[in-house]
Amino acid sequence: MIIVIQCADRIGLVAAISCLMADKGLNINGMQEFVDNDEDLFFMRLDVDQTDGAAEIEKYLRQILPEGAIVKVNPVPEKKIVVLVTKEYHCLADILVRNYFKTLGATVQCVIGNHATLQEICNRFDVPFYQVQAGNSKEAFEVKLIETINQYEFDYLVLAKFMRILSPDFVLRFPMRIINIHHSFLPAFAGASPYRQAHERGVKLIGATAHYVTNELDEGPIIAQQIIPANHSHTVQDMVKAGKEIETAVLAKALKLVFDDRVFVYKNKTVVLE
């Protein structure tokens, strides 16, 4: 059983929670906690050897926690996702392979693309693929996109190199449920051909960032980041190749953290309890 807690901080919380677990005969297999002293907030993730009685445990926890505490006991262990793509295959391919071998920590309900480029690979993995063409009207495109998405139950939308900017209205429908991956050159290298821009500037690091999507473009709470070194000998093609590899790795890490219920969001940042 996984228990996640977010609440106002106060002295003795760890002791009170530990004592409650002991009183109920629950052995704690793992515990991670963090206190944000600036915000006076307490975060905890517990792994206990219990498989039932979630509602009762939550009731007892709320009795000892500060008012307004966010408590989730035994969140859905197997998440469901809808993946949005355009033409680049590297992130989607990794997700599909992990989904096939049941190591993703989630089930891919379907893949939606604004081009048909990646339909064949989805067919090979027996995952439904839908093409929703962008057309000239962004509003009409997003209406069709939402209609397609809503055919499925899902926990998260994963933008696996989905190269369309979503409107505030769309994002508002799925608060903190949209996960995006992009290169860490932003905002220094915004716009088209970021790797070419980076090559021209002679950057020494190549990175990627996975984050939740908000109305501020590429400014949502960060889940995971990673960098690798680059040097003067790297061509644009070298940087693109390295960028794809690190984007794949960072998105995979971020998804695992989210699916394992290790990511807490508040304000515009995250606490990740690993």
Side-chain angles (χ1 to χ4, degrees):
M1 177 185 290
I2 301 299
I3 303 170
V4 292
I5 299 168
Q6 179 176 336
C7 63
D9 186 36
R10 72 180 182 205
I11 295 173
L13 277 178
V14 173
I17 294 167
S18 300
C19 287
L20 175 62
M21 296 298 111
D23 289 343
K24 301 305 175 184
L26 303 180
N27 186 49
I28 298 175
N29 298 320
M31 176 192 291
Q32 299 84 37
E33 48 86 18
F34 172 74
V35 174
D36 186 325
N37 290 312
D38 293 334
E39 300 292 338
D40 197 32
L41 288 174
F42 173 86
F43 305 86
M44 176 178 278
R45 181 185 186 275
L46 286 162
D47 181 355
V48 300
D49 60 354
Q50 179 84 359
T51 57
D52 54 17
E56 186 178 48
I57 294 301
E58 180 177 340
K59 180 184 73 173
Y60 288 130
L61 280 167
R62 291 192 181 279
Q63 290 174 359
I64 65 170
L65 293 173
E67 186 177 350
I70 299 172
V71 181
K72 296 180 182 178
V73 181
N74 221 21
V76 179
E78 186 77 6
K79 307 299 190 291
K80 297 176 181 178
I81 64 172
V82 170
V83 184
L84 274 58
V85 297
T86 296
K87 292 182 177 181
E88 295 184 72
Y89 67 86
H90 52 288
C91 289
L92 174 64
D94 183 71
I95 289 171
L96 292 176
V97 169
R98 293 174 189 270
N99 181 69
Y100 179 82
F101 287 105
K102 301 189 185 304
T103 60
L104 182 63
T107 300
V108 179
Q109 299 291 81
C110 73
V111 175
I112 305 172
N114 58 317
H115 293 272
T117 308
L118 301 177
Q119 181 169 2
E120 183 179 350
I121 189 173
C122 292
N123 293 342
R124 288 175 178 266
F125 283 94
D126 198 27
V127 171
F129 178 90
Y130 299 88
Q131 182 182 2
V132 178
Q133 293 181 318
N136 296 322
S137 169
K138 183 173 185 177
E139 182 179 356
F141 167 68
E142 291 190 348
V143 166
K144 182 62 176 176
L145 190 59
I146 290 169
E147 288 176 355
T148 308
I149 290 169
N150 285 340
Q151 293 180 41
Y152 295 88
E153 293 182 0
F154 68 96
D155 297 288
Y156 297 99
L157 297 176
V158 178
L159 310 188
K161 302 302 291 181
F162 181 64
M163 308 307 287
R164 300 285 301 181
I165 297 174
L166 297 169
S167 71
D169 287 342
F170 184 97
V171 174
L172 189 62
R173 288 175 176 266
F174 312 105
M176 296 305 156
R177 294 176 64 195
I178 309 175
I179 299 169
N180 185 44
I181 181 69
H182 73 70
H183 51 83
S184 282
F185 297 133
L186 290 172
F189 302 105
S193 303
Y195 291 107
R196 179 171 296 280
Q197 295 181 58
H199 177 261
E200 291 172 354
R201 284 289 303 277
V203 302
K204 304 306 181 202
L205 293 172
I206 295 173
T209 301
H211 65 95
Y212 290 104
V213 174
T214 63
N215 290 336
E216 298 294 326
L217 181 62
D218 293 331
E219 295 290 340
I222 293 169
I223 305 167
Q225 290 180 300
Q226 187 177 331
I227 56 173
I228 55 175
N231 60 51
H232 60 276
S233 70
H234 282 71
T235 64
V236 174
Q237 290 73 24
D238 291 334
M239 287 191 170
V240 170
K241 180 181 178 182
K244 288 181 177 181
E245 290 174 352
I246 195 169
E247 286 168 0
T248 302
V250 171
L251 181 58
K253 179 180 180 181
L255 293 181
K256 178 171 175 52
L257 291 170
V258 170
F259 298 159
D260 286 348
D261 301 292
R262 296 182 179 276
V263 182
F264 299 75
V265 180
Y266 68 107
K267 290 194 170 180
N268 197 48
K269 60 182 180 180
T270 61
V271 167
V272 180
L273 298 181
E274 297 187 64

